[in-house]
Amino acid sequence: MSSRSEITEIPIIDWNLIGNGQKDQFLSQLRHAFVVVGFAYLKNPPVDPALIDRMIKFVPCLFDLPQEEKDALSMVNSPHFMGYNRLGNEITRGKADARELFDFVTNSTSTWKEGDPIYLRFHGLAQWPDENSLPGFKATVIEYLQQLGKLGFEFMSLLAESLHLPRDVFDKFYENPKEKNPHWCKIVKYPVLDPSLGNQGVGPHYDSSFLTLLLQASAQPGLQVQSPSGQWINANPIPGTLVVNLGKGKFCTLEASA
């Protein structure tokens, strides 16, 4: 096993190992990825490839909506931080992020009231584009998130197994039943940047989510992740994979990607 100082690439873990009678190998690779490295590519994830293709095809259509339609979904209209942010509206570590984005969530009921934990404010309805403007988009995103949610629960159970812990050790962090848990989705466009404006698509940051399953929807490189030793490692797109990191995994986009 490599030491942390020798990490130069992100490991690839193949989900098909589980179905091919090589679960022990999968668990060993999983343990190495998240104990030693902190990130992994998940190859052949159990998500309908046709659904992934539909998601990818919807992305440019979403950002090609008229600006007034996108602004109508502005995040400032949502107490749950759902919706649209214009290019440059977000700032990371004192610098504007050169990205345009939407945040969506599966159906979730707002229960927050004054005095409740602030994280409960994230529970609430998303703002969706008009069905006439983007037919089938909402249904596709919800189906995609539901499949990722199912994958996420199983992934965390497998991670527990890989650490020789009970499969349900993480269940205490979920809503009960699990079906009540909302799943969030951030769809981001990184435009080609003017070199004079720098190269920050989004600055170095930690994901606040429990688990991130990142689909890179184009062949454009740009994503980097930081190893435990502080090295920045390219996370270039690999077809048929998702980039996986746990909460407090740290990553950075240093080059713009469309």
Side-chain angles (χ1 to χ4, degrees):
M1 182 177 292
S2 300
S3 68
R4 292 190 171 192
S5 62
E6 296 171 336
I7 296 169
T8 58
E9 60 184 12
I10 302 168
I12 300 174
I13 307 172
D14 191 345
W15 188 269
N16 284 349
L17 289 173
I18 298 173
N20 293 338
Q22 298 172 286
K23 183 178 178 180
D24 287 346
Q25 183 179 342
F26 179 90
L27 294 178
S28 176
Q29 293 177 5
L30 185 63
R31 180 169 58 252
H32 171 76
F34 289 99
V35 171
V36 177
V37 182
F39 293 85
Y41 289 101
L42 183 61
K43 183 179 179 181
N44 296 313
V47 180
D48 181 4
L51 178 59
I52 291 175
D53 288 344
R54 293 203 304 275
M55 279 291 297
I56 291 173
K57 289 177 181 177
F58 265 125
V59 171
C61 301
L62 176 65
F63 289 102
D64 285 344
L65 289 173
Q67 189 61 49
E68 59 269 22
E69 290 192 34
K70 293 187 288 187
D71 288 340
L73 305 175
S74 177
M75 193 176 291
V76 298
N77 300 327
S78 169
H80 316 297
F81 311 100
M82 294 291 115
Y84 172 70
N85 261 337
R86 278 192 176 212
L87 178 70
N89 267 16
E90 295 191 348
I91 295 174
T92 304
R93 300 200 177 189
K95 294 177 63 177
D97 296 329
R99 64 177 186 169
E100 185 181 7
L101 60 93
F102 290 85
D103 281 87
F104 299 107
V105 66
T106 52
N107 292 334
S108 177
T109 302
S110 176
T111 60
W112 183 85
K113 60 184 183 298
E114 199 67 40
D116 283 347
I118 194 67
Y119 73 86
L120 289 176
R121 295 199 68 176
F122 284 96
H123 290 212
L125 297 178
Q127 300 186 87
W128 297 97
D130 188 277
E131 182 68 16
N132 292 325
S133 297
L134 215 54
F137 174 76
K138 178 179 178 180
T140 297
V141 173
I142 289 177
E143 183 181 358
Y144 176 73
L145 289 178
Q146 287 172 340
Q147 290 197 23
L148 283 191
K150 183 178 179 181
L151 165 59
F153 290 134
E154 180 60 18
F155 186 91
M156 294 306 297
S157 293
L158 289 165
L159 180 61
E161 278 192 74
S162 77
L163 299 173
H164 308 293
L165 297 170
R167 275 179 56 88
D168 63 355
V169 71
F170 296 115
D171 285 8
K172 61 187 177 183
F173 297 109
Y174 309 142
E175 299 280 352
N176 186 19
K178 288 182 179 179
E179 289 72 25
K180 290 179 59 179
N181 287 265
H183 303 293
W184 285 270
C185 174
K186 188 183 293 289
I187 302 179
V188 185
K189 177 183 178 180
Y190 296 98
V192 176
L193 291 180
D194 181 334
S196 67
L197 300 177
N199 63 353
Q200 176 168 299
V202 59
H205 65 282
Y206 296 104
D207 270 12
S208 59
S209 57
F210 195 67
L211 173 69
T212 297
L213 300 169
L214 173 63
L215 172 64
Q216 299 186 82
S218 80
Q220 175 66 41
L223 181 69
Q224 291 188 316
V225 303
Q226 191 176 51
S227 72
S229 64
Q231 297 174 295
W232 287 104
I233 303 171
N234 290 333
N236 293 336
I238 299 176
T241 69
L242 299 170
V243 179
V244 184
N245 75 287
L246 305 180
K248 284 294 185 179
K250 187 175 183 182
F251 68 89
C252 173
T253 302
L254 295 179
E255 299 295 335
S257 58

